[in-house]
Amino acid sequence: METVSIQKLLPSKLGFGAAPLGNMFRDIPEEEARATVEAAWNDGVRYFDTAPFYGAGLAELRLGEALAGKPREDYVISTKVGRVILDEVEDIGARDLGETSGVFAHGRPNRIVNDYSESATLRSLEDSLKRMRTDHIDFVFVHDVAQDFYGDEWLAMFESARLGAFRALDRLREEGVIAGWGLGVNRVEPIEIVMELDEPRPDIFLLAGRYTLLDHEKALQRVMPMAAERGLRIVVGGPYSSGALVGGPNFEYAPATPAILDKVARIKAIADEHGVGMKAAGLQFSLAHPAVAAAIPGASRPSRIAEDRAAMDEIIPAEFWRRLRDAGLIHPAAPTPVAR
């Protein structure tokens, strides 16, 4: 699929990250989850990203319920494969979820099985279709084949996905069942490797947390230029770095380190001088790179949707970006938004 087709299919630069609907960090009431999706829809958001992993199917169930009755041709859905959600239950506290252990402590207790084989990929997609009450999924990301989940075993998991999920999704795209596929990861290395493969060929990637105002240097070295050169697109997940950029306590799903908190404070001091909101700075920075197709901030409260839209529309003076660059807070090669 050509780049222009991918970008044309994505309705806008601002999407909806549904991870919080899986009870990420807290037990979210059903009515609040439903109202949040409804607020996004009323704001004009038409791209929704989710995954079976988010609350062991809870995010997909809630998204499907909230979008029920909406014209399917009016919105785009991406979900992920690599985890199969079973009917049997398990001890949530005993799950080995890599660096995200405890993040979905309030999710469903259904057993989660890591499996990147072809059969598991097809089963996962069938289950996702049922949970979301839809007849098709637009984009599919192979989820978390990276160091943060599998440590030293990640390359073995990647190879399993290469022989299983990658080829299955390549075939589904060629058959017109899905519009495109790629990796959905929190690390740059898996994306670098898959872009070097002769086959199969992905179309789009979801890179979470690695092209943000707080952490973008590594992605700038190889992933972003390689994607641009090959005509591939990047969806930026976690543009606020798990909330750390906007005053939250977490970075990378864990308490922010003193170094991160210091960097946030330095950025905020310059932002305050120029009257720039931190959400606006973070969101617009992530979207400024030409390889980026969209950003998908997560939201669990309806009020967050209006905040994201305001951040998109805020006018940021060019001097703000110059100050950040001069202070060494953004990489010299990082594109910044064009002053409006």
Side-chain angles (χ1 to χ4, degrees):
M1 178 173 291
E2 297 177 355
T3 301
V4 64
S5 300
I6 292 286
Q7 189 65 69
K8 184 177 180 181
L9 187 56
L10 287 173
S12 71
K13 291 276 192 175
L14 182 62
F16 181 93
L21 299 185
N23 281 349
M24 192 176 192
F25 296 119
R26 68 184 180 96
D27 191 358
I28 301 167
E30 291 291 337
E31 57 273 16
E32 187 175 359
R34 175 72 178 267
T36 302
V37 179
E38 194 65 27
W41 182 271
N42 291 338
D43 187 72
V45 173
R46 294 294 184 271
Y47 170 41
F48 301 87
D49 174 76
T50 187
F53 180 64
Y54 303 153
L58 181 59
E60 288 189 326
L61 287 166
R62 284 175 161 174
L63 187 63
E65 175 68 24
L67 294 177
K70 312 290 188 190
R72 183 61 185 88
E73 65 275 12
D74 287 356
Y75 62 91
V76 171
I77 288 178
S78 60
T79 193
K80 305 177 184 74
V81 295
R83 274 69 173 252
V84 177
I85 312 302
L86 304 183
D87 290 333
E88 64 187 83
V89 300
E90 63 182 356
D91 178 5
I92 293 179
R95 288 173 178 162
D96 181 7
L97 304 180
E99 295 178 7
T100 64
S101 292
V103 171
F104 292 106
H106 301 285
R108 298 163 77 217
N110 296 62
R111 186 181 171 205
I112 300 175
V113 177
N114 299 324
D115 193 336
Y116 296 90
S117 66
E118 178 179 1
S119 60
T121 296
L122 298 177
R123 175 177 175 178
S124 180
L125 288 175
E126 283 296 322
D127 291 346
S128 292
L129 289 170
K130 292 174 184 175
R131 282 191 290 265
M132 291 190 287
R133 298 155 60 176
T134 186
D135 62 355
H136 71 280
I137 292 163
D138 299 285
F139 296 113
V140 179
F141 297 113
V142 182
H143 207 186
D144 292 329
V145 278
Q147 307 94 310
D148 52 333
F149 274 89
Y150 300 111
D152 291 341
E153 299 298 316
W154 83 270
L155 285 171
M157 301 302 286
F158 182 94
E159 181 65 4
S160 174
R162 185 184 72 83
L163 297 174
F166 294 3
R167 292 177 177 177
L169 295 173
D170 225 32
R171 187 178 69 252
L172 291 177
R173 181 197 56 212
E174 297 310 312
E175 294 172 353
V177 176
I178 61 175
W181 71 276
L183 305 188
V185 290
N186 303 310
R187 295 291 184 269
V188 299
E189 292 84 0
I191 295 179
E192 292 176 7
I193 292 174
V194 79
M195 282 195 290
E196 295 284 12
L197 297 177
D198 291 332
E199 59 84 27
R201 299 303 303 172
D203 312 276
I204 185 169
F205 299 105
L206 198 167
L207 181 60
R210 298 285 74 77
Y211 196 73
T212 71
L213 200 51
L214 293 181
D215 185 349
H216 56 271
E217 292 192 17
K218 201 166 187 179
L220 270 172
Q221 292 173 15
R222 284 172 55 84
V223 165
M224 306 308 277
M226 285 173 70
E229 179 185 341
R230 289 161 170 76
L232 303 173
R233 305 306 296 240
I234 305 287
V235 173
V236 172
Y240 309 135
S241 296
S242 296
L245 183 67
V246 292
N250 295 311
F251 176 81
E252 282 290 281
Y253 314 109
T257 64
I260 289 295
L261 294 175
D262 176 68
K263 189 171 186 178
V264 172
R266 292 173 65 199
I267 294 172
K268 191 173 188 310
I270 297 173
D272 288 347
E273 286 184 40
H274 292 275
V276 173
M278 291 292 276
K279 272 197 169 184
L283 193 56
Q284 292 189 33
F285 174 83
S286 292
L287 289 170
H289 198 287
V292 173
I296 49 169
S300 62
R301 293 182 172 89
S303 60
R304 298 288 190 252
I305 304 301
E307 293 173 8
D308 291 336
R309 179 61 62 188
M312 284 279 290
D313 295 339
E314 185 173 322
I315 304 297
I316 299 180
E319 176 66 10
F320 168 72
W321 302 112
R322 187 191 67 77
R323 289 279 306 279
L324 291 187
R325 206 181 297 279
D326 290 348
L329 292 167
I330 57 176
H331 192 277
T336 52
V338 177
R340 290 178 290 171

